[in-house]
Amino acid sequence: MTARAGFEALDPCVHCGFCLQACPTYLATGDEADSPRGRIVLMRALERRELGADDPALLQHLDACLGCRGCEPVCPSGVGYGRGLEAARALLVERRGLPAAARAVLGVFRHRWLWRPIFRGARWLRALGVPSRLASGSRFGFGMGMLAAIEPRGPERALGRRAAAAAGTGSRADPTRKDGTLAERSLPARPRVALFRGCVMDELFGHVHAATIRTLRANGYDVVEVRGQACCGALHQHAGDRAGAEALARRNLRAFAGSADFVAVNSAGCGALLKEYGHLLGSKEAGTLAAKVRDVSELLAAAGPRPGAPLPIDVAYDAPCHLQHAQRVQEPPLAVLRAIPELRLRMLPGSDRCCGSAGIYSTLHPGMARAVLDEKIGSCREAAPAPAVVATGNPGCLMQIGAGLRAAKLPIEARHPVELLDWSYRAAGLYD
Ligand code: SF4
Ligand code: SF4
């Protein structure tokens, strides 16, 4: 890392404005200071001390940035907006400390013994069916909707019960068939894969972890468990708490050292930071670990993936920002969904735009987060034919979009792509 700690990534900006129409907050407010170009001007002024770290306009407009990095792929000059934003937020924290609300939330995610009881309480509520009953468009109801949206489910609701029964019993693929030609050519024999469990994923998305393990094993991977893992630190890094992010990264580095050929991640936000550990910690060991990190869709796509049984449903894919923009992983999730016979796949219009979740952003800035989400829900409502499922590979997006769909009373589910592949494999009899 240079002495400018990331600000140099903003240097190529020539103020052309090509990025403005890709920025959800600019589209929501129409204010230049809520655009990437406007924020770059503010960040440069912060670095040069032309604006103080307590300047209210600077804080307002940088705080309102989702960190979605939707502005990066459209920039002809190659501006590293995300790296510059992290540098600016780290400098703000250095000069004025973390705001109390962010400190409280981030403090919880530093320690398993703090977040585990909170998520267990949430799971308990979910098991009682409380969130489903209280989900609505109000702020409290929206939080309940986030929990209700991620209940573990089979394909019955998406398929309709009769079609689900047909998919489960009528047209089974041959479980002994192995369409793994590519896997055998391009991968070592049964590569060892360590599953990154994370915090939210481990507590609220255990069903997605289970689907990840089953689908990877069905595609020739040897999945191993790694003890002593911590939260990835992405929430801390995005909020400017670099010390917090580095402490968590060091714990994961110790846990995963020499554990496997690959580290599989099924949360786009976690994967984006894990792939940056070399840069974050600046050590050879961190770079070695980062080079092993793969989104689960990358591993499945590299192995085929083998087809399952037909699932005749309409699915719209919505790409998580930290998968498409930060990791530049675009095709593999589509390859996962295309492995499901009869599934009618298309991109959700505007899938290159953020849904407004953005880590703890939706908690700290609910108004802007909902304004950005409204665009996404509008795309779901207007999609023709109407999808039964919106597929997206990130926990924040699943909760945000899922709650938005419930609040809008749309009969559409938000599901992780590996859940759909898992439904298809179960129906094919690949496993119970
Ligand atoms: S960030 Fe890129 S696209 Fe946006 S104004 Fe600067 S140079 Fe142009
Ligand atoms: S990261 Fe997202 S919200 Fe922030 S300036 Fe770029 S496009 Fe806009």
CSV table of all heavy atoms in Angstrom, one decimal, residues 135-137 145 148-149 153 157-158 316 348 373-390 400-414:
chain,number,residue,atom,x,y,z
A,135,ALA,N,-44.4,-9.0,8.6
A,135,ALA,CA,-43.8,-8.4,7.5
A,135,ALA,C,-44.7,-7.4,6.9
A,135,ALA,O,-45.9,-7.6,6.7
A,135,ALA,CB,-43.4,-9.5,6.5
A,136,SER,N,-44.2,-6.2,6.6
A,136,SER,CA,-45.0,-5.1,5.9
A,136,SER,C,-44.0,-4.1,5.3
A,136,SER,O,-42.8,-4.3,5.3
A,136,SER,CB,-45.9,-4.5,7.0
A,136,SER,OG,-45.1,-3.7,7.8
A,137,GLY,N,-44.5,-3.0,4.9
A,137,GLY,CA,-43.7,-1.9,4.3
A,137,GLY,C,-43.2,-0.9,5.3
A,137,GLY,O,-42.3,-0.1,5.0
A,145,GLY,N,-39.8,-8.6,7.4
A,145,GLY,CA,-39.8,-9.2,6.0
A,145,GLY,C,-38.5,-9.7,5.6
A,145,GLY,O,-38.4,-10.7,4.9
A,148,ALA,N,-38.3,-13.1,7.2
A,148,ALA,CA,-39.3,-14.0,6.6
A,148,ALA,C,-38.9,-14.4,5.2
A,148,ALA,O,-39.1,-15.6,4.8
A,148,ALA,CB,-40.7,-13.3,6.5
A,149,ALA,N,-38.2,-13.5,4.5
A,149,ALA,CA,-37.8,-13.8,3.1
A,149,ALA,C,-36.8,-14.9,3.0
A,149,ALA,O,-36.6,-15.5,1.9
A,149,ALA,CB,-37.2,-12.5,2.5
A,153,ARG,N,-36.7,-23.3,2.3
A,153,ARG,CA,-37.8,-23.8,1.6
A,153,ARG,C,-37.4,-24.7,0.5
A,153,ARG,O,-36.3,-24.6,0.0
A,153,ARG,CB,-38.6,-22.7,0.9
A,153,ARG,CG,-39.5,-21.9,1.8
A,153,ARG,CD,-40.7,-21.5,1.1
A,153,ARG,NE,-41.4,-20.5,2.0
A,153,ARG,CZ,-41.3,-19.2,1.9
A,153,ARG,NH1,-40.6,-18.7,0.9
A,153,ARG,NH2,-41.8,-18.4,2.8
A,157,ARG,N,-43.4,-23.9,-3.5
A,157,ARG,CA,-44.0,-22.7,-3.7
A,157,ARG,C,-43.7,-22.1,-5.1
A,157,ARG,O,-44.6,-21.6,-5.8
A,157,ARG,CB,-43.7,-21.7,-2.6
A,157,ARG,CG,-44.5,-20.4,-2.7
A,157,ARG,CD,-44.1,-19.4,-1.7
A,157,ARG,NE,-44.4,-19.9,-0.3
A,157,ARG,CZ,-44.7,-19.0,0.7
A,157,ARG,NH1,-44.7,-17.7,0.5
A,157,ARG,NH2,-44.9,-19.5,1.9
A,158,ALA,N,-42.4,-22.1,-5.5
A,158,ALA,CA,-42.0,-21.6,-6.8
A,158,ALA,C,-42.6,-22.3,-7.9
A,158,ALA,O,-43.0,-21.8,-8.9
A,158,ALA,CB,-40.5,-21.6,-6.9
A,316,ALA,N,-35.5,-15.0,-12.8
A,316,ALA,CA,-34.8,-13.8,-13.2
A,316,ALA,C,-33.5,-13.7,-12.3
A,316,ALA,O,-33.6,-13.7,-11.1
A,316,ALA,CB,-35.7,-12.5,-13.0
A,348,LEU,N,-32.8,-10.1,-14.8
A,348,LEU,CA,-33.7,-9.1,-14.3
A,348,LEU,C,-33.3,-7.7,-14.9
A,348,LEU,O,-32.2,-7.4,-14.8
A,348,LEU,CB,-33.7,-9.0,-12.8
A,348,LEU,CG,-34.7,-8.1,-12.1
A,348,LEU,CD1,-36.1,-8.7,-12.3
A,348,LEU,CD2,-34.4,-7.8,-10.7
A,373,LEU,N,-34.1,0.5,-3.6
A,373,LEU,CA,-34.8,-0.8,-3.7
A,373,LEU,C,-36.0,-0.7,-4.5
A,373,LEU,O,-36.4,-1.6,-5.3
A,373,LEU,CB,-35.1,-1.3,-2.3
A,373,LEU,CG,-35.9,-2.6,-2.3
A,373,LEU,CD1,-35.2,-3.8,-2.8
A,373,LEU,CD2,-36.4,-3.0,-0.8
A,374,ASP,N,-36.7,0.4,-4.4
A,374,ASP,CA,-38.0,0.6,-5.2
A,374,ASP,C,-37.8,0.4,-6.7
A,374,ASP,O,-38.7,-0.2,-7.3
A,374,ASP,CB,-38.6,2.0,-4.9
A,374,ASP,CG,-39.2,2.1,-3.5
A,374,ASP,OD1,-39.4,1.0,-2.9
A,374,ASP,OD2,-39.5,3.2,-3.0
A,375,GLU,N,-36.6,0.8,-7.2
A,375,GLU,CA,-36.3,0.6,-8.6
A,375,GLU,C,-36.3,-0.9,-8.9
A,375,GLU,O,-36.8,-1.3,-9.9
A,375,GLU,CB,-34.9,1.2,-8.9
A,375,GLU,CG,-34.9,2.7,-9.0
A,375,GLU,CD,-35.4,3.2,-10.3
A,375,GLU,OE1,-35.0,2.6,-11.3
A,375,GLU,OE2,-36.1,4.2,-10.3
A,376,LYS,N,-35.6,-1.6,-8.0
A,376,LYS,CA,-35.4,-3.0,-8.2
A,376,LYS,C,-36.8,-3.8,-8.2
A,376,LYS,O,-37.0,-4.6,-9.0
A,376,LYS,CB,-34.5,-3.6,-7.1
A,376,LYS,CG,-34.1,-5.0,-7.2
A,376,LYS,CD,-33.0,-5.2,-8.3
A,376,LYS,CE,-31.7,-4.6,-8.1
A,376,LYS,NZ,-30.8,-4.8,-9.3
A,377,ILE,N,-37.6,-3.4,-7.2
A,377,ILE,CA,-38.9,-4.1,-7.1
A,377,ILE,C,-39.8,-3.7,-8.3
A,377,ILE,O,-40.5,-4.5,-8.8
A,377,ILE,CB,-39.6,-3.7,-5.7
A,377,ILE,CG1,-38.7,-4.1,-4.6
A,377,ILE,CG2,-41.0,-4.3,-5.6
A,377,ILE,CD1,-38.3,-5.6,-4.5
A,378,GLY,N,-39.6,-2.5,-8.8
A,378,GLY,CA,-40.4,-2.1,-10.0
A,378,GLY,C,-40.0,-3.0,-11.2
A,378,GLY,O,-40.8,-3.4,-11.9
A,379,SER,N,-38.7,-3.3,-11.3
A,379,SER,CA,-38.2,-4.2,-12.3
A,379,SER,C,-38.9,-5.6,-12.2
A,379,SER,O,-39.3,-6.2,-13.2
A,379,SER,CB,-36.7,-4.4,-12.3
A,379,SER,OG,-36.1,-3.2,-12.6
A,380,CYS,N,-39.0,-6.1,-10.9
A,380,CYS,CA,-39.6,-7.4,-10.7
A,380,CYS,C,-41.1,-7.3,-11.1
A,380,CYS,O,-41.6,-8.3,-11.7
A,380,CYS,CB,-39.5,-7.8,-9.2
A,380,CYS,SG,-37.8,-7.9,-8.6
A,381,ARG,N,-41.7,-6.3,-10.7
A,381,ARG,CA,-43.2,-6.2,-11.0
A,381,ARG,C,-43.4,-6.1,-12.5
A,381,ARG,O,-44.4,-6.7,-12.9
A,381,ARG,CB,-43.7,-4.9,-10.3
A,381,ARG,CG,-45.2,-4.7,-10.4
A,381,ARG,CD,-45.7,-3.4,-9.9
A,381,ARG,NE,-45.7,-3.4,-8.4
A,381,ARG,CZ,-44.9,-2.6,-7.7
A,381,ARG,NH1,-44.0,-1.8,-8.3
A,381,ARG,NH2,-44.9,-2.6,-6.4
A,382,GLU,N,-42.6,-5.4,-13.2
A,382,GLU,CA,-42.9,-5.2,-14.6
A,382,GLU,C,-42.3,-6.3,-15.5
A,382,GLU,O,-42.6,-6.4,-16.7
A,382,GLU,CB,-42.3,-3.9,-15.1
A,382,GLU,CG,-43.1,-2.7,-14.6
A,382,GLU,CD,-42.3,-1.4,-14.4
A,382,GLU,OE1,-41.3,-1.3,-15.1
A,382,GLU,OE2,-42.7,-0.6,-13.6
A,383,ALA,N,-41.5,-7.2,-14.9
A,383,ALA,CA,-40.9,-8.3,-15.7
A,383,ALA,C,-42.0,-9.2,-16.3
A,383,ALA,O,-43.0,-9.5,-15.7
A,383,ALA,CB,-40.0,-9.1,-14.9
A,384,ALA,N,-41.9,-9.5,-17.6
A,384,ALA,CA,-42.9,-10.3,-18.3
A,384,ALA,C,-42.1,-11.4,-19.2
A,384,ALA,O,-41.3,-11.0,-19.9
A,384,ALA,CB,-43.7,-9.5,-19.2
A,385,PRO,N,-42.5,-12.7,-18.9
A,385,PRO,CA,-43.4,-13.2,-18.0
A,385,PRO,C,-42.9,-13.0,-16.5
A,385,PRO,O,-41.7,-12.9,-16.3
A,385,PRO,CB,-43.5,-14.7,-18.3
A,385,PRO,CG,-42.2,-15.0,-19.0
A,385,PRO,CD,-41.8,-13.8,-19.7
A,386,ALA,N,-43.8,-13.0,-15.6
A,386,ALA,CA,-43.5,-12.7,-14.2
A,386,ALA,C,-42.6,-13.9,-13.7
A,386,ALA,O,-43.0,-15.0,-13.9
A,386,ALA,CB,-44.7,-12.6,-13.3
A,387,PRO,N,-41.5,-13.6,-13.1
A,387,PRO,CA,-40.6,-14.7,-12.5
A,387,PRO,C,-41.3,-15.2,-11.3
A,387,PRO,O,-41.9,-14.5,-10.5
A,387,PRO,CB,-39.3,-14.0,-12.2
A,387,PRO,CG,-39.7,-12.5,-12.0
A,387,PRO,CD,-40.9,-12.3,-12.8
A,388,ALA,N,-41.0,-16.5,-11.0
A,388,ALA,CA,-41.4,-17.1,-9.8
A,388,ALA,C,-40.3,-16.9,-8.7
A,388,ALA,O,-40.5,-16.9,-7.5
A,388,ALA,CB,-41.6,-18.6,-9.9
A,389,VAL,N,-39.1,-16.8,-9.2
A,389,VAL,CA,-37.9,-16.6,-8.3
A,389,VAL,C,-37.0,-15.5,-8.9
A,389,VAL,O,-36.7,-15.5,-10.1
A,389,VAL,CB,-37.1,-18.0,-8.3
A,389,VAL,CG1,-35.8,-17.8,-7.5
A,389,VAL,CG2,-38.0,-19.1,-7.6
A,390,VAL,N,-36.5,-14.7,-8.0
A,390,VAL,CA,-35.3,-13.8,-8.3
A,390,VAL,C,-34.1,-14.5,-7.7
A,390,VAL,O,-34.1,-14.7,-6.5
A,390,VAL,CB,-35.5,-12.4,-7.8
A,390,VAL,CG1,-34.2,-11.6,-7.9
A,390,VAL,CG2,-36.7,-11.7,-8.5
A,400,GLN,N,-32.8,-8.0,1.4
A,400,GLN,CA,-33.4,-6.8,0.9
A,400,GLN,C,-34.4,-7.0,-0.2
A,400,GLN,O,-35.5,-6.4,-0.1
A,400,GLN,CB,-32.2,-5.9,0.4
A,400,GLN,CG,-32.6,-4.6,-0.2
A,400,GLN,CD,-32.7,-3.5,0.8
A,400,GLN,OE1,-32.7,-3.7,2.0
A,400,GLN,NE2,-32.7,-2.2,0.4
A,401,ILE,N,-34.1,-7.7,-1.2
A,401,ILE,CA,-35.0,-7.9,-2.3
A,401,ILE,C,-36.2,-8.8,-1.8
A,401,ILE,O,-37.4,-8.5,-2.1
A,401,ILE,CB,-34.4,-8.6,-3.5
A,401,ILE,CG1,-33.3,-7.7,-4.1
A,401,ILE,CG2,-35.4,-9.0,-4.6
A,401,ILE,CD1,-32.4,-8.3,-5.1
A,402,GLY,N,-35.9,-9.8,-1.0
A,402,GLY,CA,-37.0,-10.6,-0.5
A,402,GLY,C,-38.0,-9.8,0.4
A,402,GLY,O,-39.2,-10.0,0.2
A,403,ALA,N,-37.5,-8.9,1.2
A,403,ALA,CA,-38.4,-8.1,2.0
A,403,ALA,C,-39.2,-7.1,1.1
A,403,ALA,O,-40.4,-6.8,1.4
A,403,ALA,CB,-37.6,-7.3,3.1
A,404,GLY,N,-38.5,-6.6,0.1
A,404,GLY,CA,-39.2,-5.6,-0.8
A,404,GLY,C,-40.3,-6.3,-1.6
A,404,GLY,O,-41.4,-5.7,-1.8
A,405,LEU,N,-40.1,-7.6,-2.0
A,405,LEU,CA,-41.1,-8.3,-2.7
A,405,LEU,C,-42.3,-8.6,-1.8
A,405,LEU,O,-43.4,-8.5,-2.2
A,405,LEU,CB,-40.5,-9.6,-3.2
A,405,LEU,CG,-39.5,-9.5,-4.3
A,405,LEU,CD1,-38.8,-10.8,-4.6
A,405,LEU,CD2,-40.1,-9.0,-5.6
A,406,ARG,N,-42.0,-8.9,-0.5
A,406,ARG,CA,-43.1,-9.1,0.4
A,406,ARG,C,-43.9,-7.8,0.7
A,406,ARG,O,-45.1,-7.8,0.7
A,406,ARG,CB,-42.6,-9.6,1.7
A,406,ARG,CG,-42.2,-11.1,1.7
A,406,ARG,CD,-41.8,-11.6,3.0
A,406,ARG,NE,-41.7,-13.1,2.8
A,406,ARG,CZ,-42.6,-13.9,3.4
A,406,ARG,NH1,-43.5,-13.5,4.2
A,406,ARG,NH2,-42.5,-15.2,3.1
A,407,ALA,N,-43.1,-6.7,0.9
A,407,ALA,CA,-43.8,-5.5,1.1
A,407,ALA,C,-44.7,-5.1,0.0
A,407,ALA,O,-45.8,-4.5,0.1
A,407,ALA,CB,-42.8,-4.4,1.4
A,408,ALA,N,-44.3,-5.4,-1.3
A,408,ALA,CA,-45.0,-5.1,-2.5
A,408,ALA,C,-46.1,-6.1,-2.8
A,408,ALA,O,-46.8,-6.0,-3.8
A,408,ALA,CB,-44.1,-4.9,-3.7
A,409,LYS,N,-46.1,-7.2,-1.9
A,409,LYS,CA,-47.1,-8.3,-2.1
A,409,LYS,C,-47.0,-8.9,-3.5
A,409,LYS,O,-48.0,-9.3,-4.1
A,409,LYS,CB,-48.5,-7.8,-1.9
A,409,LYS,CG,-48.7,-7.1,-0.5
A,409,LYS,CD,-50.2,-7.1,-0.1
A,409,LYS,CE,-50.4,-6.4,1.3
A,409,LYS,NZ,-49.5,-6.7,2.3
A,410,LEU,N,-45.8,-9.1,-3.9
A,410,LEU,CA,-45.5,-9.8,-5.2
A,410,LEU,C,-45.2,-11.3,-4.9
A,410,LEU,O,-44.4,-11.6,-4.0
A,410,LEU,CB,-44.3,-9.2,-5.9
A,410,LEU,CG,-44.5,-7.8,-6.5
A,410,LEU,CD1,-43.2,-7.2,-7.1
A,410,LEU,CD2,-45.6,-7.8,-7.5
A,411,PRO,N,-45.8,-12.2,-5.6
A,411,PRO,CA,-45.6,-13.7,-5.3
A,411,PRO,C,-44.3,-14.2,-5.9
A,411,PRO,O,-44.4,-15.1,-6.7
A,411,PRO,CB,-46.9,-14.3,-5.9
A,411,PRO,CG,-47.2,-13.4,-7.1
A,411,PRO,CD,-46.8,-12.0,-6.7
A,412,ILE,N,-43.2,-13.6,-5.6
A,412,ILE,CA,-41.9,-13.9,-6.1
A,412,ILE,C,-41.0,-14.2,-4.9
A,412,ILE,O,-41.0,-13.4,-4.0
A,412,ILE,CB,-41.4,-12.8,-7.0
A,412,ILE,CG1,-42.3,-12.3,-8.1
A,412,ILE,CG2,-40.0,-13.2,-7.6
A,412,ILE,CD1,-41.9,-11.1,-8.8
A,413,GLU,N,-40.2,-15.2,-5.0
A,413,GLU,CA,-39.2,-15.6,-4.0
A,413,GLU,C,-37.9,-15.1,-4.4
A,413,GLU,O,-37.5,-15.1,-5.5
A,413,GLU,CB,-39.2,-17.1,-3.8
A,413,GLU,CG,-40.5,-17.6,-3.3
A,413,GLU,CD,-40.2,-18.9,-2.5
A,413,GLU,OE1,-39.2,-19.0,-1.7
A,413,GLU,OE2,-41.0,-19.9,-2.7
A,414,ALA,N,-37.0,-14.7,-3.4
A,414,ALA,CA,-35.6,-14.5,-3.6
A,414,ALA,C,-34.9,-15.7,-3.1
A,414,ALA,O,-35.0,-16.1,-2.0
A,414,ALA,CB,-35.2,-13.2,-2.9
